[in-house]
Amino acid sequence: MECQVTWTGAAGARSGMGFVAETGSGHIIAMDGAPDAAHPGQGGQNLAPRPMETVLAGAGGCTAYDVVLILQRGRHDVRGCSVLLTSERAAQDPKVFTRIHMHFTVTGKAVPVAAVERAIALSHEKYCSASIMLGKTAEITTSFDVVELT
């Protein structure tokens, strides 16, 4: 897997701290820094997510992917899955994630609570590379709701 990240500020772009990542699969992700009133040349213009927000989003996507796949393989009638991630970061550099909470909402027909609990556990213990990696610096907790469709 590879990814090329390019600073767009050198090209006279609108943001001095903007970056574009091109993934190995050919997709583009824009990133930008927060505005810095004290040092305008060192800040961004809030035109895209911060790099650490994309790390958090990647972990959410990775674990949601696992949960849906595990439930589908169990032949459960899952119709939707979302995960709300909240986090805390260290106050000092490097400002790694120190706590991450993931709240899953799984929607479907007759999806057993035990199956959702198992899917989340399998994701975090075995399959989700992103959350397992982040778990090296952050305490990761989970919770979930199952919404029954009629």
Side-chain angles (χ1 to χ4, degrees):
M1 181 181 302
E2 66 179 38
C3 180
Q4 181 171 343
V5 178
T6 304
W7 176 44
T8 60
R14 191 169 158 201
S15 177
M17 289 307 285
F19 296 85
V20 173
E22 183 174 352
T23 66
S25 60
H27 296 281
I28 303 294
I29 301 168
M31 295 175 280
D32 195 13
D36 186 343
H39 304 96
Q42 295 177 7
Q45 290 192 359
N46 198 29
L47 299 174
R50 312 289 178 269
M52 289 300 285
E53 288 176 324
T54 63
V55 170
L56 193 62
C62 183
T63 191
Y65 180 99
D66 290 341
V67 168
V68 169
L69 192 60
I70 292 165
L71 291 171
Q72 287 177 334
R73 286 183 177 165
R75 304 213 190 294
H76 299 291
D77 191 0
V78 62
R79 305 283 182 94
C81 178
S82 65
V83 58
L84 173 63
L85 293 92
T86 53
S87 66
E88 294 177 22
R89 292 177 61 192
Q92 306 279 324
D93 287 328
K95 295 178 183 168
V96 298
F97 289 109
T98 57
R99 293 176 195 251
I100 299 171
H101 182 73
M102 300 181 180
H103 181 79
F104 295 81
T105 302
V106 175
T107 306
K109 290 190 174 192
V111 178
V113 168
V116 174
E117 188 171 42
R118 178 179 173 274
I120 292 169
L122 281 170
S123 176
H124 290 273
E125 294 166 9
K126 186 173 183 179
Y127 296 114
C128 181
S129 304
S131 65
I132 291 168
M133 182 177 54
L134 289 172
K136 303 294 183 189
T137 63
E139 173 191 357
I140 298 178
T141 56
T142 62
S143 59
F144 67 92
D145 292 314
V146 178
V147 177
E148 179 68 22
L149 291 178
T150 55

